[in-house]
């Protein structure tokens, strides 16, 4: 059902904002709650990318229509709603293939993209460092490659905007051969940049510094926590994927020991696999850590468990399962006393903090210190995680 545009914390007042209409097709095993959450997250992503959301549609089906995901009747209904809402962009929460995209664009009369393309677009907009831009361009090209099928020129037909922006100076390439060549060049550049990082890591290892990495769902407050702990000035924004580069800072503990603390790119459900692949070298900071601090947004309790699970899965994907984890429940300043108590009962080993007010930060530092002094082996081992949630 179409919904009026909602005001959101993510809204930007960009001129010529794209007007997006969101579609999700739900097939068994379906879960109303997850679809709703996922669609809300898609809206936040659309707004972060600079679009406004002018309508939404959810269809439950026993299976996807092979050509258009949606059934014929719904395609017709969507087209009418898109027209009356003045939308010029459709974003599917589901993944769509190149041929489905082509068919849908013809039937709906506007540009159609999927969640993955939207996330890639946000990354393209937020990539500032040379390495970040190289990684994002590589991810975009590998997303595009199987989708081109000789219809390269049509990209320009889309008229720019979300899904067509690239971080490089060059327009996104549309020729398969050229794309492959460019991808190889980017991969070479990345491995050169990685070599520098490897040297830095070796130096830290030699100095015997414990490496602690902040991980967590996007927007959970990782950069805020890094800033709070180290007085760094990493950009903090109420946007998804504000951070793409890892920032590492030294932190002196009250005991005199020093650690290196790193911030990382946030994780999200259904993160495009080409992004994980392209960001592999940046994410080495996770795999190489002695200790992870998993930052959880406690103000979004209805999504906490699912988000922790997503982070859990991505960590496993990165080969970081055996690294000890401390859990930090962030943003507790937004909770009522009763809610905090309930969380304490439910997650007794999680440390309640507020990167904003500084509350609980001492406790977090002392837990990290205990870990370094080997007085605790870990607060929670990854494999115990599931138990901690029940
Ligand atoms: N109320 C409250 N807000 C917080 C707290 N920590 C972070 N925030 C807010 O949450 C938003 C996201 O914070 P960031 O530090 O950018 O989050 P992040 O995890 O680094 O996000 P990405 O880099 O986008 O993945 C910002 O608007 C912060 O001001 C907190 O303890 N309390
Ligand atoms: Mg950040």
């Amino acid at each position: 059902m179409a919904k009026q545009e909602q005001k959101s914390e993510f809204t930007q007042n960009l001129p010529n904002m794209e007007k997006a209409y969101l579609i999700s097709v739900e097939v068994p095993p379906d879960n109303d709650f997850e679809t709703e959450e996922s669609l809300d997250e898609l809206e936040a992503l659309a707004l972060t990318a600079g679009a406004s959301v002018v309508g939404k549609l959810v269809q439950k089906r026993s299976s996807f229509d092979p050509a258009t995901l949606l059934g014929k009747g719904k395609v017709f209904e969507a087209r009418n709603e898109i027209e009356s809402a003045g939308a010029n962009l459709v974003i599917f929460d589901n993944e769509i293939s190149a041929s489905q995209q082509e068919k849908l664009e013809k039937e709906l009369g506007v540009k159609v993209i999927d969640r993955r393309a939207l996330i890639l677009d946000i990354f393209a907009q937020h990539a500032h460092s040379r390495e970040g831009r190289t990684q994002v361009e590589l991810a975009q090209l590998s997303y595009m490659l199987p989708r081109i099928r000789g219809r390269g020129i049509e990209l320009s037909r889309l008229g720019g905007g979300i899904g067509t922006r690239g971080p490089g100076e060059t327009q996104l390439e549309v020729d398969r051969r050229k794309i492959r060549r460019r991808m190889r060049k980017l991969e070479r550049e990345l491995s050169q940049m990685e070599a520098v990082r490897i040297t830095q890591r070796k130096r830290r290892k030699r100095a015997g510094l414990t490496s602690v990495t902040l991980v967590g769902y996007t927007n959970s407050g990782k950069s805020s926590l890094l800033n709070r702990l180290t007085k760094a000035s990493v950009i903090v924004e109420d946007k998804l994927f504000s951070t793409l580069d890892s920032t590492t800072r030294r932190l002196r503990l009250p005991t005199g020991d020093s650690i290196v603390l790193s911030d990382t790119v946030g994780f999200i459900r259904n993160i495009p696999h080409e992004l994980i692949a392209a960001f592999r070298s940046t994410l080495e900071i996770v795999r190489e850590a002695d200790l992870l601090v998993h930052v959880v947004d406690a103000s979004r309790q209805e999504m906490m468990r699912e988000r922790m699970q997503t982070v859990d899965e991505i960590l496993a994907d990165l080969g970081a399962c055996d690294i000890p984890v401390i859990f930090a429940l962030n943003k507790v300043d937004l909770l009522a006393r009763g809610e905090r108590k309930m969380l304490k009962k439910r997650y007794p080993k999680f440390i309640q903090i507020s990167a904003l007010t500084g509350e609980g930060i001492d406790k977090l530092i002392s837990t990290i210190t205990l870990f370094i002094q080997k007085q605790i082996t870990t607060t929670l081992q990854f494999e115990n995680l599931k138990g901690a949630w029940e």
Side-chain angles (χ1 to χ4, degrees):
M1 225 157 292
K3 234 182 178 177
Q4 277 307 299
E5 182 185 346
Q6 290 178 338
K7 278 230 173 300
S8 158
E9 67 232 65
F10 294 97
T11 307
Q12 302 171 1
N13 286 319
L14 295 179
N16 309 320
M17 242 187 188
E18 282 182 89
K19 291 194 183 136
Y21 186 83
L22 312 183
I23 299 181
S24 173
V25 184
E26 198 179 306
V27 296
D30 53 359
N31 176 339
D32 284 347
F33 182 67
E34 276 192 17
T35 305
E36 189 63 28
E37 296 296 339
S38 188
L39 211 58
D40 283 351
E41 189 170 82
L42 189 71
E43 177 167 6
L45 285 165
L47 296 167
T48 295
S52 62
V53 173
V54 295
K56 296 179 189 177
L57 180 136
V58 176
Q59 184 181 30
K60 289 185 189 212
R61 283 178 65 87
S62 54
S63 65
F64 292 120
D65 181 289
T68 50
L69 270 73
L70 290 169
K72 283 209 169 48
K74 276 287 173 197
V75 172
F76 184 73
E77 188 185 318
R79 189 186 173 107
N80 283 337
E81 285 189 6
I82 288 163
E83 259 177 29
S84 60
N88 50 14
L89 168 69
V90 165
I91 310 175
F92 269 80
D93 203 20
N94 315 79
E95 202 168 306
I96 52 175
S97 70
S99 59
Q100 287 163 343
Q101 183 184 23
E102 210 168 335
K103 180 97 180 147
L104 281 163
E105 283 180 351
K106 213 159 100 198
E107 305 254 333
L108 298 176
V110 291
K111 178 168 80 172
V112 176
I113 62 167
D114 64 6
R115 181 185 174 95
R116 276 164 70 195
L118 177 61
I119 294 176
L120 284 165
D121 188 87
I122 295 171
F123 270 69
Q125 290 186 58
H126 291 184
H128 301 301
S129 72
R130 185 166 155 245
E131 186 168 28
R133 291 157 68 101
T134 311
Q135 287 169 319
V136 171
E137 190 179 349
L138 183 61
Q140 283 190 312
L141 293 177
S142 68
Y143 174 83
M144 277 172 61
L145 194 59
R147 287 162 194 267
I148 287 184
R149 303 203 314 182
R151 51 169 226 142
I153 310 304
E154 293 186 37
L155 261 189
S156 54
R157 175 186 55 82
L158 297 178
I162 298 176
T164 61
R165 290 180 280 230
E169 294 78 23
T170 50
Q171 274 280 18
L172 282 177
E173 282 292 354
V174 288
D175 176 305
R176 296 190 103 183
R177 220 161 24 109
K178 278 195 201 156
I179 286 182
R180 286 215 183 81
R181 208 180 310 142
R182 176 103 183 123
M183 283 173 74
R184 280 196 295 274
K185 185 167 178 282
L186 295 174
E187 278 161 2
R188 273 198 305 276
E189 283 176 16
L190 278 176
S191 53
Q192 280 160 12
M193 290 184 242
E194 199 182 353
V196 176
R197 219 206 310 270
I198 290 174
T199 317
Q200 287 169 349
R201 271 205 304 267
K202 278 192 183 147
R203 205 174 298 147
R204 275 186 214 125
K205 275 242 149 43
R206 268 203 303 276
L209 291 174
T210 303
S211 156
V212 181
T213 299
L214 306 176
V215 292
Y217 211 80
T218 182
N219 210 47
S220 60
K222 300 172 295 299
S223 302
S224 306
L225 182 57
L226 182 86
N227 289 345
R228 161 68 63 180
L229 288 169
T230 68
K231 310 200 169 40
S233 46
V234 175
I235 292 177
V236 166
E237 269 179 311
D238 202 1
K239 278 187 188 173
L240 307 181
F241 306 114
S242 308
T243 309
L244 297 191
D245 303 309
S246 319
T247 299
T248 298
R249 289 281 181 279
R250 210 185 250 247
L251 170 64
R252 214 176 149 80
L253 300 172
T255 51
D257 296 315
S258 277
I259 62 168
V260 280
L261 189 69
S262 306
D263 183 22
T264 51
V265 60
F267 300 157
I268 196 166
R269 189 218 308 234
N270 296 336
I271 196 161
H273 56 78
E274 45 287 276
L275 269 178
I276 293 280
F279 274 71
R280 205 155 269 278
S281 64
T282 298
L283 287 167
E284 275 293 291
I285 203 97
V286 176
R287 226 162 56 87
E288 299 252 321
D290 300 302
L291 175 68
L292 301 175
V293 176
H294 181 161
V295 183
V296 182
D297 183 345
S299 71
R300 309 304 299 268
Q301 277 169 52
E302 68 292 358
M303 301 195 244
M304 253 174 64
R305 194 191 153 101
E306 217 244 314
R307 288 182 167 185
M308 285 193 282
Q309 233 150 358
T310 299
V311 172
D312 195 352
E313 281 159 21
I314 296 170
L315 289 175
D317 235 29
L318 293 171
C321 313
D322 50 355
I323 305 175
V325 187
I326 290 174
F327 287 84
L329 278 182
N330 190 33
K331 308 196 189 180
V332 293
D333 56 285
L334 296 174
L335 302 182
R337 194 192 281 253
E339 285 177 300
R340 293 190 195 196
K341 266 197 168 151
M342 188 274 292
L343 282 173
K344 190 80 215 156
K345 219 164 136 192
R346 190 141 176 228
Y347 305 106
K349 292 188 173 171
F350 289 25
I351 303 167
Q352 299 198 4
I353 63 161
S354 166
L356 192 74
T357 65
E359 182 186 343
I361 299 295
D362 286 349
K363 176 86 196 297
L364 180 63
I365 292 179
S366 64
T367 310
I368 295 174
T369 310
L370 284 176
F371 171 82
I372 289 168
Q373 295 177 334
K374 308 218 178 346
Q375 293 187 20
I376 48 167
T377 37
T378 62
T379 318
L380 274 180
Q381 207 72 44
F382 201 77
E383 53 266 31
N384 297 338
L385 207 65
K386 293 249 152 40
W389 289 346
E390 304 312 335

